[in-house]
Amino acid sequence: MVRIGAHVDQDDPAAHAVEVGAEVVQFFLGDPQGYDKPVLPAKPVEGVDLYIHAPYLINVATTNNRIRIPSRKLLEQHLKAAASLGAKGLVVHGGHVNKSDDPQTGFDNWRKVFERMECPIPVLIENTAGGDNAMARKLERIARLWDALDGFDVGFCLDTCHAHAGGEELLDLVERVRAITGRIDLVHCNDSRDEFDSGADRHANLGQGRIDPELILAVCRAAGAPIIVETPAAGQADDIAFLRKNL
Ligand SMILES: [Zn+2]
């Protein structure tokens, strides 16, 4: 049985894990919308596996130097901090380039990250829901990203809400992703408040959104990777119980 858990507040991840019945937790090291240095949790995180989610603002793909350079620095800081906590991986979004940019520039920028950065633990690039010129919304782009990252040990985090809202069918998605990346390290198991290919990133508790729960379960089964629900906190215990019962 794979480990199942939740994205929780960083104030006391171990206590939140007990509250929702999680065997694995994910949390931010500080404000997810900020460029601040990582802040370690005040209380020790013991008894659970853990993953760290990098801030949303990180965009190492962009051609904008004033975003790309601080993004790289922040990614490296978070990776070191996550490793110091014993995390299994650092999740980061694929990012995007500007509308008029050639996406290849973004893939090349991603390659430069791994050419320059030591990775004490795996970086897990996550598929995203939105953006016209995103690096990791559609599988065709993820394939080009993985071509650019050939030779580097890079992991993948598959988010079911982002796939649905990003316009990728969940049916057989794991097989199609694996054909590209060779691996799925972590599943972000979320329902979506929005319709297929809407580009909106609004998570819902399982069975409360627009995705057929059977498809979500099928993705989790096929992936065989640890599962994190990033759903509204009040329903996380039910989401985890639903997965345990049905997987
Ligand atoms: Zn996610």
Side-chain angles (χ1 to χ4, degrees):
M1 187 75 180
V2 298
R3 292 189 162 241
I4 302 173
H7 182 95
V8 297
D9 197 283
Q10 79 166 88
D11 62 343
D12 194 349
H16 294 306
V18 172
E19 283 161 22
V20 298
E23 300 158 312
V24 46
V25 290
Q26 173 187 281
F27 48 92
F28 296 115
L29 298 178
D31 175 8
Q33 304 290 0
Y35 278 109
D36 302 332
K37 268 197 252 176
V39 182
L40 299 181
K43 302 204 174 133
V45 189
E46 287 162 349
V48 283
D49 285 348
L50 61 104
Y51 290 84
I52 300 301
H53 199 304
Y56 296 127
L57 288 182
I58 287 182
N59 182 4
V60 297
T62 180
T63 55
N64 183 339
N65 294 342
R66 283 180 299 174
I67 295 172
R68 190 181 67 260
I69 293 167
S71 288
R72 268 190 201 149
K73 193 174 158 198
L74 202 56
L75 182 67
E76 191 161 14
Q77 288 172 343
H78 278 258
L79 189 61
K80 280 186 184 151
S84 78
L85 288 169
K88 303 266 184 203
L90 176 74
V91 178
V92 62
H93 287 181
H96 58 92
V97 291
N98 295 325
K99 226 172 183 167
S100 58
D101 291 332
D102 178 354
Q104 190 57 46
T105 317
F107 303 131
D108 293 340
N109 283 338
W110 258 116
R111 180 173 182 85
K112 287 174 191 159
V113 168
F114 289 102
E115 284 172 348
R116 294 166 190 190
M117 186 170 71
E118 289 290 321
C119 293
I121 59 169
V123 172
L124 313 181
I125 300 178
E126 179 178 1
N127 62 312
T128 54
D132 289 334
N133 223 345
M135 300 290 98
R137 173 174 174 172
K138 302 277 189 188
L139 292 190
E140 168 266 328
R141 290 287 178 89
I142 294 171
R144 290 178 64 188
L145 176 58
W146 245 256
D147 280 346
L149 299 180
D150 190 30
F152 293 99
D153 182 24
V154 182
F156 190 74
C157 172
L158 177 61
D159 188 307
T160 54
C161 168
H162 297 176
H164 164 89
E168 289 291 348
E169 297 284 357
L170 294 194
L171 189 68
D172 300 329
L173 178 62
V174 167
E175 288 76 6
R176 284 179 283 127
V177 168
R178 261 209 204 105
I180 294 166
T181 63
R183 60 197 276 185
I184 293 173
D185 298 75
L186 185 67
V187 174
H188 280 174
C189 183
N190 306 308
D191 205 336
S192 168
R193 287 169 65 184
D194 300 281
E195 64 202 75
F196 183 78
D197 210 16
S198 59
D201 184 0
R202 298 191 305 162
H203 300 184
N205 292 108
L206 306 183
Q208 307 292 309
R210 303 288 192 98
I211 310 178
D212 177 355
E214 285 302 324
L215 280 174
I216 291 180
L217 289 168
V219 166
C220 291
R221 281 188 200 109
I227 298 167
I228 293 283
V229 300
E230 297 174 307
T231 51
Q236 284 183 344
D238 288 343
D239 290 337
I240 290 172
F242 171 81
L243 291 169
R244 281 223 177 90
K245 179 165 177 247
N246 291 289
L247 284 178

